[in-house]
Each structure stands twice: as C-alpha cells, then as structure tokens.
Amino acid sequence: MDAHEAKRKRDDARSLNPSDSPCVAVCSTLYDDICRGCGRTAMEVANWVFLDDSEKRAVWERITAQGYPKRKG
C-alpha cells in the first residue's frame, strides 16, 4: 500500500460515523481471533454496542490501516 492509499484509508475512517459497524457480513473467526471480513477481534465484535465513539474510532482506524473491512467483489 503506497502513502496516498494509506492516507485515503485514514481519511475514510475519519469520515465515517464511529458508531457505524465495520461488519460486511463476511464473518469468520474460525481459525483465529480476528474476523476475516471486518478485521475486528471477537471481543470487539461482541462488545461493539458498548464501546464509546472514541473506542469505535480507534478500532476503525486500526482496521482500515490493516486493509479492512474486506468486501466481496
């Protein structure tokens, strides 16, 4: 990922409402603790509704920097 693409992903993460779920309905934590669709840990998925906006934004920033959410297509 080049610097321009990384910046765009960070900008996209900031433009989202933090309460928007990263879920893309491609759920799988079968082989490890990270969902292959959205990049969140199983605990982040389970507790999403209890996180405050700053915690959600931190999750969004981390997962977008890692190339998530992964949409079909």
Side-chain angles (χ1 to χ4, degrees):
M1 174 181 338
D2 65 15
H4 182 265
E5 184 178 350
K7 180 184 181 323
R8 183 186 57 76
K9 286 183 180 278
R10 284 192 304 274
D11 290 345
D12 288 348
R14 284 190 207 100
S15 69
L16 292 166
N17 182 342
S19 62
D20 292 340
S21 173
C23 182
V24 292
V26 183
C27 306
S28 173
T29 54
L30 183 62
Y31 300 106
D32 55 29
D33 191 44
I34 303 295
C35 177
R36 293 174 183 215
C38 70
R40 293 179 292 170
T41 66
M43 289 304 294
E44 289 168 339
V45 171
N47 292 306
W48 187 256
V49 297
F50 303 111
L51 301 179
D52 64 31
D53 281 353
S54 65
E55 292 168 319
K56 290 176 181 178
R57 185 167 304 283
V59 171
W60 266 111
E61 289 178 2
R62 187 192 80 242
I63 65 176
T64 55
Q66 295 172 345
Y68 292 96
K70 298 192 186 285
R71 292 176 168 63
K72 287 182 167 182

Short mmCIF file of all heavy atoms in Angstrom, two decimals:
data_model
loop_
_atom_site.label_atom_id
_atom_site.label_comp_id
_atom_site.label_asym_id
_atom_site.label_seq_id
_atom_site.Cartn_x
_atom_site.Cartn_y
_atom_site.Cartn_z
N MET A 1 0.86 -1.17 0.00
CA MET A 1 0.00 0.00 0.00
C MET A 1 0.91 1.24 0.00
O MET A 1 1.79 1.36 0.84
CB MET A 1 -0.88 -0.03 1.24
CG MET A 1 -1.70 1.19 1.43
SD MET A 1 -2.77 1.26 2.91
CE MET A 1 -3.01 -0.37 3.41
N ASP A 2 0.69 2.14 -0.95
CA ASP A 2 1.51 3.34 -1.00
C ASP A 2 0.98 4.39 -0.02
O ASP A 2 -0.07 4.23 0.58
CB ASP A 2 1.60 3.89 -2.43
CG ASP A 2 0.26 4.39 -2.96
OD1 ASP A 2 -0.68 4.59 -2.19
OD2 ASP A 2 0.17 4.60 -4.19
N ALA A 3 1.73 5.47 0.16
CA ALA A 3 1.38 6.50 1.13
C ALA A 3 0.04 7.16 0.81
O ALA A 3 -0.75 7.46 1.71
CB ALA A 3 2.48 7.55 1.20
N HIS A 4 -0.24 7.37 -0.48
CA HIS A 4 -1.50 8.00 -0.87
C HIS A 4 -2.69 7.13 -0.49
O HIS A 4 -3.71 7.61 0.04
CB HIS A 4 -1.50 8.29 -2.38
CG HIS A 4 -2.74 8.99 -2.85
ND1 HIS A 4 -3.81 8.31 -3.36
CD2 HIS A 4 -3.07 10.30 -2.84
CE1 HIS A 4 -4.76 9.16 -3.67
NE2 HIS A 4 -4.34 10.37 -3.36
N GLU A 5 -2.60 5.84 -0.77
CA GLU A 5 -3.68 4.92 -0.45
C GLU A 5 -3.88 4.82 1.07
O GLU A 5 -5.01 4.80 1.56
CB GLU A 5 -3.41 3.53 -1.02
CG GLU A 5 -4.54 2.57 -0.80
CD GLU A 5 -4.28 1.20 -1.42
OE1 GLU A 5 -3.31 1.05 -2.17
OE2 GLU A 5 -5.06 0.29 -1.13
N ALA A 6 -2.78 4.80 1.83
CA ALA A 6 -2.87 4.75 3.28
C ALA A 6 -3.56 5.99 3.83
O ALA A 6 -4.41 5.90 4.72
CB ALA A 6 -1.48 4.60 3.90
N LYS A 7 -3.22 7.17 3.26
CA LYS A 7 -3.87 8.40 3.71
C LYS A 7 -5.36 8.38 3.39
O LYS A 7 -6.18 8.77 4.22
CB LYS A 7 -3.22 9.63 3.06
CG LYS A 7 -3.87 10.93 3.51
CD LYS A 7 -3.30 12.12 2.78
CE LYS A 7 -3.90 13.44 3.21
NZ LYS A 7 -5.29 13.47 3.53
N ARG A 8 -5.72 7.89 2.21
CA ARG A 8 -7.13 7.81 1.84
C ARG A 8 -7.89 6.92 2.80
O ARG A 8 -8.97 7.24 3.24
CB ARG A 8 -7.29 7.29 0.41
CG ARG A 8 -8.76 7.27 -0.06
CD ARG A 8 -8.93 6.62 -1.41
NE ARG A 8 -8.42 5.27 -1.49
CZ ARG A 8 -9.04 4.20 -0.96
NH1 ARG A 8 -10.16 4.34 -0.31
NH2 ARG A 8 -8.52 3.01 -1.10
N LYS A 9 -7.29 5.79 3.17
CA LYS A 9 -7.96 4.88 4.10
C LYS A 9 -8.13 5.53 5.46
O LYS A 9 -9.17 5.39 6.09
CB LYS A 9 -7.18 3.57 4.23
CG LYS A 9 -7.33 2.67 3.02
CD LYS A 9 -6.61 1.37 3.21
CE LYS A 9 -6.78 0.49 2.02
NZ LYS A 9 -8.02 -0.24 2.02
N ARG A 10 -7.13 6.29 5.92
CA ARG A 10 -7.27 7.00 7.19
C ARG A 10 -8.36 8.06 7.08
O ARG A 10 -9.17 8.22 7.99
CB ARG A 10 -5.94 7.64 7.59
CG ARG A 10 -4.93 6.67 8.14
CD ARG A 10 -3.77 7.38 8.79
NE ARG A 10 -3.11 8.32 7.91
CZ ARG A 10 -2.14 8.03 7.05
NH1 ARG A 10 -1.71 6.79 6.95
NH2 ARG A 10 -1.59 8.95 6.30
N ASP A 11 -8.39 8.80 5.97
CA ASP A 11 -9.42 9.82 5.77
C ASP A 11 -10.80 9.18 5.74
O ASP A 11 -11.75 9.72 6.30
CB ASP A 11 -9.18 10.60 4.48
CG ASP A 11 -7.96 11.51 4.59
OD1 ASP A 11 -7.48 11.76 5.71
OD2 ASP A 11 -7.50 11.97 3.53
N ASP A 12 -10.93 8.04 5.07
CA ASP A 12 -12.21 7.33 5.03
C ASP A 12 -12.65 6.95 6.44
O ASP A 12 -13.82 7.06 6.79
CB ASP A 12 -12.12 6.07 4.17
CG ASP A 12 -12.02 6.36 2.69
OD1 ASP A 12 -12.25 7.52 2.29
OD2 ASP A 12 -11.70 5.43 1.94
N ALA A 13 -11.72 6.50 7.26
CA ALA A 13 -12.05 6.09 8.62
C ALA A 13 -12.54 7.29 9.42
O ALA A 13 -13.47 7.17 10.22
CB ALA A 13 -10.84 5.46 9.31
N ARG A 14 -11.95 8.46 9.21
CA ARG A 14 -12.37 9.65 9.94
C ARG A 14 -13.72 10.15 9.48
O ARG A 14 -14.44 10.77 10.24
CB ARG A 14 -11.32 10.76 9.78
CG ARG A 14 -10.11 10.52 10.63
CD ARG A 14 -9.21 11.75 10.64
NE ARG A 14 -7.87 11.31 10.90
CZ ARG A 14 -6.93 11.15 9.98
NH1 ARG A 14 -7.16 11.43 8.73
NH2 ARG A 14 -5.74 10.73 10.31
N SER A 15 -14.09 9.92 8.23
CA SER A 15 -15.34 10.44 7.70
C SER A 15 -16.53 9.58 8.11
O SER A 15 -17.67 10.01 8.00
CB SER A 15 -15.28 10.55 6.18
OG SER A 15 -15.25 9.28 5.59
N LEU A 16 -16.27 8.38 8.57
CA LEU A 16 -17.36 7.51 8.99
C LEU A 16 -17.87 7.93 10.35
O LEU A 16 -17.13 8.43 11.18
CB LEU A 16 -16.86 6.06 9.08
CG LEU A 16 -16.50 5.41 7.77
CD1 LEU A 16 -15.72 4.14 8.02
CD2 LEU A 16 -17.76 5.11 6.98
N ASN A 17 -19.13 7.71 10.57
CA ASN A 17 -19.68 7.87 11.90
C ASN A 17 -19.11 6.72 12.73
O ASN A 17 -19.25 5.57 12.33
CB ASN A 17 -21.20 7.80 11.83
CG ASN A 17 -21.86 8.02 13.16
OD1 ASN A 17 -21.24 7.90 14.21
ND2 ASN A 17 -23.12 8.35 13.11
N PRO A 18 -18.45 7.01 13.85
CA PRO A 18 -17.81 5.93 14.61
C PRO A 18 -18.76 4.82 15.01
O PRO A 18 -18.35 3.68 15.16
CB PRO A 18 -17.26 6.62 15.85
CG PRO A 18 -17.23 8.05 15.53
CD PRO A 18 -18.26 8.30 14.47
N SER A 19 -20.04 5.14 15.15
CA SER A 19 -20.98 4.10 15.56
C SER A 19 -21.34 3.16 14.43
O SER A 19 -21.92 2.10 14.65
CB SER A 19 -22.24 4.73 16.15
OG SER A 19 -22.90 5.51 15.19
N ASP A 20 -21.01 3.52 13.17
CA ASP A 20 -21.24 2.62 12.05
C ASP A 20 -20.43 1.35 12.25
O ASP A 20 -19.24 1.41 12.50
CB ASP A 20 -20.83 3.26 10.72
CG ASP A 20 -21.71 4.42 10.32
OD1 ASP A 20 -22.85 4.52 10.84
OD2 ASP A 20 -21.27 5.24 9.50
N SER A 21 -21.07 0.23 12.14
CA SER A 21 -20.37 -1.03 12.31
C SER A 21 -19.54 -1.36 11.08
O SER A 21 -20.00 -1.17 9.95
CB SER A 21 -21.38 -2.16 12.54
OG SER A 21 -20.72 -3.41 12.55
N PRO A 22 -18.32 -1.87 11.27
CA PRO A 22 -17.50 -2.28 10.13
C PRO A 22 -17.94 -3.61 9.51
O PRO A 22 -17.36 -4.06 8.55
CB PRO A 22 -16.10 -2.44 10.73
CG PRO A 22 -16.18 -2.07 12.15
CD PRO A 22 -17.61 -1.92 12.53
N CYS A 23 -18.96 -4.23 10.06
CA CYS A 23 -19.39 -5.54 9.60
C CYS A 23 -19.75 -5.51 8.11
O CYS A 23 -20.45 -4.61 7.65
CB CYS A 23 -20.61 -6.01 10.39
SG CYS A 23 -21.17 -7.65 9.91
N VAL A 24 -19.26 -6.50 7.38
CA VAL A 24 -19.57 -6.63 5.95
C VAL A 24 -20.24 -7.97 5.67
O VAL A 24 -20.30 -8.42 4.53
CB VAL A 24 -18.31 -6.46 5.07
CG1 VAL A 24 -17.80 -5.04 5.13
CG2 VAL A 24 -17.23 -7.45 5.45
N ALA A 25 -20.76 -8.59 6.71
CA ALA A 25 -21.48 -9.87 6.61
C ALA A 25 -20.63 -10.98 6.00
O ALA A 25 -21.12 -11.84 5.28
CB ALA A 25 -22.79 -9.69 5.86
N VAL A 26 -19.34 -10.94 6.26
CA VAL A 26 -18.41 -11.99 5.86
C VAL A 26 -17.70 -12.41 7.15
O VAL A 26 -16.51 -12.23 7.30
CB VAL A 26 -17.39 -11.49 4.81
CG1 VAL A 26 -16.48 -12.63 4.35
CG2 VAL A 26 -18.08 -10.86 3.63
N CYS A 27 -18.47 -12.91 8.08
CA CYS A 27 -17.97 -13.17 9.43
C CYS A 27 -17.23 -14.50 9.49
O CYS A 27 -17.75 -15.52 9.06
CB CYS A 27 -19.12 -13.19 10.42
SG CYS A 27 -20.13 -11.71 10.37
N SER A 28 -16.04 -14.45 10.05
CA SER A 28 -15.30 -15.68 10.27
C SER A 28 -14.20 -15.44 11.28
O SER A 28 -13.29 -14.67 11.04
CB SER A 28 -14.67 -16.19 8.97
OG SER A 28 -13.83 -17.29 9.27
N THR A 29 -14.32 -16.09 12.42
CA THR A 29 -13.23 -16.12 13.40
C THR A 29 -12.89 -17.58 13.69
O THR A 29 -12.44 -17.92 14.77
CB THR A 29 -13.64 -15.38 14.70
OG1 THR A 29 -14.86 -15.95 15.18
CG2 THR A 29 -13.80 -13.90 14.49
N LEU A 30 -13.10 -18.42 12.70
CA LEU A 30 -12.92 -19.85 12.85
C LEU A 30 -11.48 -20.24 13.21
O LEU A 30 -11.25 -21.07 14.06
CB LEU A 30 -13.34 -20.57 11.57
CG LEU A 30 -13.29 -22.08 11.57
CD1 LEU A 30 -14.24 -22.64 12.64
CD2 LEU A 30 -13.67 -22.62 10.21
N TYR A 31 -10.50 -19.62 12.56
CA TYR A 31 -9.11 -20.04 12.74
C TYR A 31 -8.31 -19.15 13.67
O TYR A 31 -7.23 -19.52 14.09
CB TYR A 31 -8.41 -20.11 11.38
CG TYR A 31 -9.09 -21.11 10.47
CD1 TYR A 31 -9.86 -20.68 9.41
CD2 TYR A 31 -8.98 -22.47 10.70
CE1 TYR A 31 -10.50 -21.59 8.58
CE2 TYR A 31 -9.62 -23.39 9.88
CZ TYR A 31 -10.38 -22.94 8.83
OH TYR A 31 -11.02 -23.83 8.02
N ASP A 32 -8.81 -17.97 13.98
CA ASP A 32 -8.11 -17.09 14.91
C ASP A 32 -9.10 -16.12 15.53
O ASP A 32 -10.30 -16.24 15.32
CB ASP A 32 -6.96 -16.36 14.22
CG ASP A 32 -7.39 -15.59 12.99
OD1 ASP A 32 -8.55 -15.16 12.92
OD2 ASP A 32 -6.57 -15.42 12.09
N ASP A 33 -8.62 -15.15 16.25
CA ASP A 33 -9.47 -14.23 16.99
C ASP A 33 -9.88 -13.02 16.15
O ASP A 33 -10.62 -12.18 16.62
CB ASP A 33 -8.73 -13.77 18.25
CG ASP A 33 -9.63 -13.02 19.21
OD1 ASP A 33 -10.77 -13.48 19.43
OD2 ASP A 33 -9.19 -11.99 19.74
N ILE A 34 -9.42 -12.94 14.90
CA ILE A 34 -9.71 -11.78 14.05
C ILE A 34 -10.71 -12.17 12.97
O ILE A 34 -10.53 -13.15 12.27
CB ILE A 34 -8.41 -11.26 13.37
CG1 ILE A 34 -7.36 -10.91 14.41
CG2 ILE A 34 -8.71 -10.09 12.45
CD1 ILE A 34 -7.72 -9.76 15.32
N CYS A 35 -11.77 -11.38 12.84
CA CYS A 35 -12.75 -11.64 11.80
C CYS A 35 -12.11 -11.37 10.43
O CYS A 35 -11.51 -10.32 10.22
CB CYS A 35 -13.97 -10.75 11.99
SG CYS A 35 -15.20 -10.96 10.67
N ARG A 36 -12.28 -12.29 9.51
CA ARG A 36 -11.70 -12.15 8.18
C ARG A 36 -12.44 -11.13 7.32
O ARG A 36 -11.95 -10.71 6.30
CB ARG A 36 -11.68 -13.49 7.47
CG ARG A 36 -10.75 -14.45 8.14
CD ARG A 36 -10.85 -15.81 7.53
NE ARG A 36 -9.99 -16.73 8.26
CZ ARG A 36 -9.34 -17.71 7.69
NH1 ARG A 36 -9.46 -17.92 6.41
NH2 ARG A 36 -8.58 -18.49 8.41
N GLY A 37 -13.64 -10.74 7.73
CA GLY A 37 -14.40 -9.75 6.98
C GLY A 37 -14.12 -8.33 7.42
O GLY A 37 -13.78 -7.47 6.62
N CYS A 38 -14.23 -8.08 8.73
CA CYS A 38 -14.12 -6.70 9.21
C CYS A 38 -12.81 -6.40 9.92
O CYS A 38 -12.47 -5.24 10.12
CB CYS A 38 -15.30 -6.35 10.12
SG CYS A 38 -15.29 -7.18 11.72
N GLY A 39 -12.07 -7.41 10.34
CA GLY A 39 -10.78 -7.17 10.98
C GLY A 39 -10.84 -6.94 12.48
O GLY A 39 -9.82 -6.74 13.12
N ARG A 40 -12.05 -6.98 13.04
CA ARG A 40 -12.16 -6.79 14.49
C ARG A 40 -11.90 -8.11 15.21
O ARG A 40 -12.07 -9.18 14.66
CB ARG A 40 -13.56 -6.31 14.86
CG ARG A 40 -13.88 -4.92 14.35
CD ARG A 40 -15.29 -4.50 14.71
NE ARG A 40 -16.26 -5.32 13.98
CZ ARG A 40 -17.57 -5.32 14.22
NH1 ARG A 40 -18.07 -4.57 15.18
NH2 ARG A 40 -18.37 -6.08 13.51
N THR A 41 -11.51 -7.97 16.48
CA THR A 41 -11.38 -9.17 17.31
C THR A 41 -12.77 -9.65 17.68
O THR A 41 -13.75 -8.90 17.60
CB THR A 41 -10.60 -8.88 18.61
OG1 THR A 41 -11.36 -7.98 19.42
CG2 THR A 41 -9.21 -8.30 18.32
N ALA A 42 -12.85 -10.88 18.11
CA ALA A 42 -14.14 -11.43 18.53
C ALA A 42 -14.72 -10.60 19.68
O ALA A 42 -15.94 -10.36 19.73
CB ALA A 42 -13.98 -12.89 18.96
N MET A 43 -13.88 -10.12 20.57
CA MET A 43 -14.35 -9.29 21.69
C MET A 43 -14.87 -7.95 21.20
O MET A 43 -15.86 -7.43 21.71
CB MET A 43 -13.24 -9.09 22.73
CG MET A 43 -12.92 -10.35 23.52
SD MET A 43 -14.36 -11.06 24.37
CE MET A 43 -14.70 -9.79 25.55
N GLU A 44 -14.20 -7.35 20.19
CA GLU A 44 -14.68 -6.08 19.64
C GLU A 44 -16.03 -6.25 18.96
O GLU A 44 -16.91 -5.39 19.09
CB GLU A 44 -13.66 -5.50 18.66
CG GLU A 44 -12.42 -4.99 19.32
CD GLU A 44 -11.29 -4.69 18.37
OE1 GLU A 44 -11.27 -5.22 17.24
OE2 GLU A 44 -10.38 -3.93 18.76
N VAL A 45 -16.21 -7.36 18.26
CA VAL A 45 -17.49 -7.63 17.61
C VAL A 45 -18.58 -7.79 18.68
O VAL A 45 -19.64 -7.17 18.60
CB VAL A 45 -17.41 -8.91 16.74
CG1 VAL A 45 -18.79 -9.31 16.24
CG2 VAL A 45 -16.46 -8.69 15.56
N ALA A 46 -18.30 -8.59 19.69
CA ALA A 46 -19.29 -8.88 20.73
C ALA A 46 -19.65 -7.64 21.54
O ALA A 46 -20.80 -7.49 21.97
CB ALA A 46 -18.78 -9.97 21.65
N ASN A 47 -18.69 -6.75 21.73
CA ASN A 47 -18.91 -5.59 22.60
C ASN A 47 -19.11 -4.28 21.85
O ASN A 47 -19.14 -3.22 22.47
CB ASN A 47 -17.74 -5.44 23.57
CG ASN A 47 -17.72 -6.58 24.56
OD1 ASN A 47 -18.70 -6.85 25.24
ND2 ASN A 47 -16.59 -7.28 24.63
N TRP A 48 -19.26 -4.32 20.53
CA TRP A 48 -19.35 -3.11 19.71
C TRP A 48 -20.38 -2.12 20.24
O TRP A 48 -20.12 -0.92 20.33
CB TRP A 48 -19.64 -3.46 18.26
CG TRP A 48 -19.58 -2.27 17.36
CD1 TRP A 48 -20.64 -1.58 16.83
CD2 TRP A 48 -18.41 -1.63 16.89
NE1 TRP A 48 -20.18 -0.55 16.05
CE2 TRP A 48 -18.82 -0.55 16.07
CE3 TRP A 48 -17.05 -1.85 17.07
CZ2 TRP A 48 -17.92 0.30 15.45
CZ3 TRP A 48 -16.15 -1.00 16.44
CH2 TRP A 48 -16.59 0.05 15.65
N VAL A 49 -21.55 -2.60 20.60
CA VAL A 49 -22.63 -1.70 21.05
C VAL A 49 -22.31 -1.04 22.39
O VAL A 49 -22.94 -0.04 22.74
CB VAL A 49 -24.00 -2.42 21.13
CG1 VAL A 49 -24.43 -2.90 19.76
CG2 VAL A 49 -23.96 -3.57 22.13
N PHE A 50 -21.34 -1.55 23.11
CA PHE A 50 -20.97 -0.99 24.41
C PHE A 50 -19.78 -0.04 24.34
O PHE A 50 -19.48 0.64 25.32
CB PHE A 50 -20.67 -2.12 25.42
CG PHE A 50 -21.81 -3.07 25.59
CD1 PHE A 50 -21.72 -4.37 25.13
CD2 PHE A 50 -22.99 -2.66 26.19
CE1 PHE A 50 -22.78 -5.25 25.27
CE2 PHE A 50 -24.06 -3.53 26.34
CZ PHE A 50 -23.95 -4.83 25.87
N LEU A 51 -19.08 -0.01 23.20
CA LEU A 51 -17.93 0.89 23.05
C LEU A 51 -18.40 2.32 22.85
O LEU A 51 -19.42 2.56 22.20
CB LEU A 51 -17.07 0.46 21.86
CG LEU A 51 -16.49 -0.95 21.87
CD1 LEU A 51 -15.70 -1.20 20.59
CD2 LEU A 51 -15.63 -1.18 23.09
N ASP A 52 -17.64 3.28 23.38
CA ASP A 52 -17.98 4.67 23.11
C ASP A 52 -17.38 5.09 21.77
O ASP A 52 -16.62 4.33 21.15
CB ASP A 52 -17.55 5.60 24.26
CG ASP A 52 -16.05 5.67 24.47
OD1 ASP A 52 -15.28 5.54 23.49
OD2 ASP A 52 -15.62 5.88 25.62
N ASP A 53 -17.74 6.28 21.30
CA ASP A 53 -17.31 6.72 19.96
C ASP A 53 -15.79 6.75 19.81
O ASP A 53 -15.28 6.40 18.75
CB ASP A 53 -17.90 8.09 19.63
CG ASP A 53 -19.35 8.02 19.20
OD1 ASP A 53 -19.88 6.89 19.03
OD2 ASP A 53 -19.95 9.09 19.00
N SER A 54 -15.06 7.16 20.84
CA SER A 54 -13.60 7.20 20.71
C SER A 54 -13.02 5.80 20.60
O SER A 54 -12.06 5.57 19.85
CB SER A 54 -12.96 7.97 21.87
OG SER A 54 -13.17 7.30 23.10
N GLU A 55 -13.59 4.84 21.31
CA GLU A 55 -13.12 3.46 21.21
C GLU A 55 -13.45 2.89 19.83
O GLU A 55 -12.61 2.20 19.21
CB GLU A 55 -13.77 2.59 22.29
CG GLU A 55 -13.30 2.94 23.70
CD GLU A 55 -14.14 2.29 24.77
OE1 GLU A 55 -15.38 2.25 24.64
OE2 GLU A 55 -13.54 1.83 25.76
N LYS A 56 -14.63 3.18 19.32
CA LYS A 56 -15.01 2.72 17.99
C LYS A 56 -14.12 3.34 16.92
O LYS A 56 -13.70 2.66 15.99
CB LYS A 56 -16.48 3.02 17.71
CG LYS A 56 -17.43 2.17 18.53
CD LYS A 56 -18.86 2.56 18.30
CE LYS A 56 -19.81 1.73 19.13
NZ LYS A 56 -21.20 2.12 18.96
N ARG A 57 -13.84 4.63 17.05
CA ARG A 57 -12.98 5.30 16.08
C ARG A 57 -11.59 4.67 16.08
O ARG A 57 -10.99 4.46 15.02
CB ARG A 57 -12.88 6.80 16.36
CG ARG A 57 -12.10 7.52 15.28
CD ARG A 57 -12.22 9.02 15.33
NE ARG A 57 -13.57 9.52 15.29
CZ ARG A 57 -14.33 9.61 14.20
NH1 ARG A 57 -13.85 9.18 13.04
NH2 ARG A 57 -15.54 10.11 14.25
N ALA A 58 -11.07 4.33 17.25
CA ALA A 58 -9.75 3.68 17.33
C ALA A 58 -9.77 2.33 16.61
O ALA A 58 -8.81 1.98 15.91
CB ALA A 58 -9.35 3.50 18.80
N VAL A 59 -10.85 1.58 16.77
CA VAL A 59 -10.99 0.30 16.07
C VAL A 59 -11.03 0.55 14.56
O VAL A 59 -10.32 -0.10 13.79
CB VAL A 59 -12.24 -0.48 16.53
CG1 VAL A 59 -12.48 -1.70 15.65
CG2 VAL A 59 -12.11 -0.89 17.99
N TRP A 60 -11.86 1.51 14.13
CA TRP A 60 -11.95 1.84 12.71
C TRP A 60 -10.59 2.22 12.13
O TRP A 60 -10.22 1.77 11.04
CB TRP A 60 -12.93 3.00 12.49
CG TRP A 60 -14.32 2.57 12.18
CD1 TRP A 60 -15.43 2.70 12.97
CD2 TRP A 60 -14.78 1.96 10.97
NE1 TRP A 60 -16.53 2.20 12.34
CE2 TRP A 60 -16.17 1.75 11.10
CE3 TRP A 60 -14.15 1.58 9.80
CZ2 TRP A 60 -16.93 1.16 10.10
CZ3 TRP A 60 -14.92 0.99 8.79
CH2 TRP A 60 -16.29 0.79 8.95
N GLU A 61 -9.84 3.05 12.84
CA GLU A 61 -8.53 3.48 12.33
C GLU A 61 -7.58 2.30 12.21
O GLU A 61 -6.85 2.18 11.23
CB GLU A 61 -7.96 4.58 13.22
CG GLU A 61 -8.73 5.89 13.05
CD GLU A 61 -8.25 7.01 13.94
OE1 GLU A 61 -7.28 6.81 14.70
OE2 GLU A 61 -8.87 8.09 13.89
N ARG A 62 -7.58 1.41 13.21
CA ARG A 62 -6.70 0.24 13.16
C ARG A 62 -7.07 -0.68 12.01
O ARG A 62 -6.21 -1.10 11.23
CB ARG A 62 -6.75 -0.52 14.49
CG ARG A 62 -5.72 -1.66 14.53
CD ARG A 62 -5.92 -2.62 15.68
NE ARG A 62 -6.98 -3.56 15.32
CZ ARG A 62 -8.13 -3.70 15.96
NH1 ARG A 62 -8.41 -2.97 17.01
NH2 ARG A 62 -9.02 -4.58 15.55
N ILE A 63 -8.36 -1.01 11.88
CA ILE A 63 -8.73 -1.98 10.85
C ILE A 63 -8.57 -1.43 9.45
O ILE A 63 -8.19 -2.16 8.54
CB ILE A 63 -10.14 -2.57 11.09
CG1 ILE A 63 -11.23 -1.53 10.96
CG2 ILE A 63 -10.20 -3.31 12.42
CD1 ILE A 63 -12.66 -2.08 11.08
N THR A 64 -8.84 -0.14 9.24
CA THR A 64 -8.65 0.41 7.89
C THR A 64 -7.16 0.49 7.55
O THR A 64 -6.79 0.26 6.39
CB THR A 64 -9.32 1.79 7.71
OG1 THR A 64 -8.87 2.68 8.71
CG2 THR A 64 -10.83 1.66 7.76
N ALA A 65 -6.31 0.75 8.53
CA ALA A 65 -4.87 0.75 8.29
C ALA A 65 -4.38 -0.65 7.91
O ALA A 65 -3.40 -0.80 7.18
CB ALA A 65 -4.13 1.25 9.52
N GLN A 66 -5.09 -1.66 8.37
CA GLN A 66 -4.73 -3.05 8.08
C GLN A 66 -5.42 -3.59 6.83
O GLN A 66 -5.29 -4.76 6.49
CB GLN A 66 -5.09 -3.94 9.28
CG GLN A 66 -4.27 -3.62 10.51
CD GLN A 66 -4.76 -4.37 11.75
OE1 GLN A 66 -5.85 -4.92 11.78
NE2 GLN A 66 -3.93 -4.38 12.76
N GLY A 67 -6.20 -2.74 6.15
CA GLY A 67 -6.82 -3.16 4.91
C GLY A 67 -8.23 -3.72 5.05
O GLY A 67 -8.76 -4.33 4.12
N TYR A 68 -8.83 -3.54 6.18
CA TYR A 68 -10.21 -3.98 6.41
C TYR A 68 -11.12 -2.76 6.35
O TYR A 68 -10.66 -1.65 6.39
CB TYR A 68 -10.34 -4.62 7.80
CG TYR A 68 -9.62 -5.92 7.94
CD1 TYR A 68 -8.34 -5.97 8.48
CD2 TYR A 68 -10.21 -7.12 7.57
CE1 TYR A 68 -7.66 -7.17 8.64
CE2 TYR A 68 -9.56 -8.32 7.71
CZ TYR A 68 -8.27 -8.34 8.24
OH TYR A 68 -7.63 -9.53 8.39
N PRO A 69 -12.42 -2.97 6.29
CA PRO A 69 -13.13 -4.21 6.06
C PRO A 69 -12.95 -4.70 4.63
O PRO A 69 -12.78 -3.91 3.71
CB PRO A 69 -14.59 -3.88 6.34
CG PRO A 69 -14.70 -2.42 6.54
CD PRO A 69 -13.32 -1.85 6.53
N LYS A 70 -12.98 -6.00 4.48
CA LYS A 70 -12.82 -6.63 3.16
C LYS A 70 -14.19 -6.96 2.60
O LYS A 70 -14.92 -7.76 3.15
CB LYS A 70 -11.98 -7.89 3.29
CG LYS A 70 -10.58 -7.60 3.78
CD LYS A 70 -9.70 -8.78 3.62
CE LYS A 70 -8.34 -8.57 4.24
NZ LYS A 70 -7.45 -7.74 3.55
N ARG A 71 -14.52 -6.28 1.54
CA ARG A 71 -15.82 -6.50 0.90
C ARG A 71 -15.68 -7.49 -0.25
O ARG A 71 -14.65 -7.55 -0.90
CB ARG A 71 -16.38 -5.19 0.40
CG ARG A 71 -16.77 -4.29 1.56
CD ARG A 71 -17.25 -2.94 1.09
NE ARG A 71 -17.89 -2.15 2.10
CZ ARG A 71 -17.32 -1.69 3.18
NH1 ARG A 71 -16.07 -1.97 3.46
NH2 ARG A 71 -17.98 -0.95 4.06
N LYS A 72 -16.74 -8.22 -0.49
CA LYS A 72 -16.74 -9.15 -1.64
C LYS A 72 -16.69 -8.34 -2.91
O LYS A 72 -17.25 -7.25 -3.00
CB LYS A 72 -18.01 -10.00 -1.63
CG LYS A 72 -18.04 -11.06 -0.59
CD LYS A 72 -19.32 -11.85 -0.72
CE LYS A 72 -19.27 -13.11 0.09
NZ LYS A 72 -20.48 -13.90 -0.08
N GLY A 73 -16.06 -8.89 -3.91
CA GLY A 73 -16.10 -8.22 -5.19
C GLY A 73 -14.84 -8.29 -5.96
O GLY A 73 -13.86 -8.82 -5.70
#
